Amino acid sequence: MEKELAVLIAKLQGIAQTGKTYAKDPYDLERYDELKQITGQLAKLLYPTIPDDRLTVYLSADDGYATPKVDIRAVIFDQQDRLLLVQEKSDARWALPGGWADIGYSPMEIAEKETFEEAGIQVTGDRLIAVRDKAKRDYPPALIYTYKLFISCLFVEGELTSGLETSDVRFFSRADVQKLALSEERNTYADIEMLFEDHFSPHKERINCD
């Protein structure tokens, strides 16, 4: 029970923090401040011995110890050795299905969820292919320090269809990907090459991340 409550409190904190970041209306900002205060009260009830300074850091992560955000990317190949990519509505560029990790989900569950939401098919997470520090790779500059996880997924069922954040979804051959305009904030050509190399490798190390 304690574990489940802790996850729910973490979700509330995430909603409050995200809301304060993006909300413009002063009444909305006031509500998110109130939600953050309630989250702190619930955390204090669950962990009565937690020091006040530690609780402040927990509720206001940007003012406390900064940690990298986690970006999950799903890697799905079809029987013709083609890679699944989605076209993002935000920039009309192509990317692997994926997004920020959500509280309460494992990395594999995020890969499965994002693939269904963005590409319309159900997949099952198979193995972790790579973890990359975005700041130490050839990605465009970004203010948010991010680790990227590439997770191999296996097709289960469904038909390709775009989602709320995507305008198109297709499988592409290795050669065809090189002709695309990639959303390089999400994945670079080097990432794609790495994924094809892994796909064709006869020796695949199995690293679970569920």
Side-chain angles (χ1 to χ4, degrees):
M1 176 65 73
E2 180 177 328
K3 184 175 181 179
E4 287 80 2
L5 288 175
V7 170
L8 292 175
I9 290 173
K11 287 186 176 182
L12 289 176
Q13 189 276 335
I15 292 170
Q17 180 176 324
T18 301
K20 284 182 62 63
T21 300
Y22 295 105
K24 304 299 181 183
D25 186 275
Y27 294 102
D28 287 337
L29 289 170
E30 182 179 353
R31 293 186 185 96
Y32 284 121
D33 275 329
E34 183 179 6
L35 178 59
K36 186 172 75 171
Q37 293 172 7
I38 293 172
T39 302
Q41 294 170 358
L42 291 172
K44 198 70 175 178
L45 288 173
L46 185 61
Y47 301 111
T49 60
I50 185 172
D52 289 342
D53 58 347
R54 183 178 171 186
L55 182 60
T56 299
V57 170
Y58 170 73
L59 294 174
S60 304
D62 288 344
D63 297 326
Y65 188 82
T67 58
K69 294 196 72 172
V70 180
D71 178 27
I72 307 292
R73 295 290 147 183
V75 181
I76 304 106
F77 284 91
D78 66 6
Q79 295 181 340
Q80 286 76 48
D81 299 319
R82 298 178 301 176
L83 179 63
L84 180 68
L85 297 176
V86 298
Q87 188 174 43
E88 301 284 344
K89 285 184 179 179
S90 60
D91 58 11
R93 291 175 175 265
W94 294 87
L96 298 161
W100 294 120
D102 296 321
I103 292 171
Y105 294 86
S106 73
M108 284 191 176
E109 288 172 336
I110 292 294
E112 295 165 357
K113 180 172 76 74
E114 291 289 334
T115 300
F116 181 72
E117 292 175 353
E118 297 185 0
I121 60 173
Q122 293 185 353
V123 298
T124 182
D126 180 46
R127 63 189 179 89
L128 175 65
I129 297 174
V131 178
R132 290 192 160 173
D133 184 332
K134 192 175 179 182
K136 300 182 186 301
R137 296 283 179 168
D138 191 21
Y139 295 96
L143 292 176
I144 301 175
Y145 203 96
T146 306
Y147 291 163
K148 300 183 72 66
L149 277 63
F150 296 89
I151 297 178
S152 173
C153 296
L154 304 176
F155 175 80
V156 176
E157 63 181 3
E159 296 184 3
L160 295 181
T161 181
S162 56
L164 293 177
E165 299 178 355
T166 57
S167 55
D168 199 357
V169 52
R170 305 183 207 172
F171 284 99
F172 292 94
S173 70
R174 193 173 195 169
D176 288 339
V177 171
Q178 299 301 318
K179 305 172 186 176
L180 297 176
L182 293 183
S183 180
E184 296 199 48
E185 293 82 6
R186 297 173 175 88
N187 40 231
T188 64
Y189 292 100
D191 292 333
I192 300 301
E193 278 299 302
M194 177 268 294
L195 298 175
F196 273 100
E197 287 293 329
D198 174 81
H199 177 64
F200 289 116
S201 172
H203 306 293
K204 294 182 175 66
E205 185 177 359
R206 184 163 298 281
I207 304 174
N208 204 353
C209 57
D210 56 10

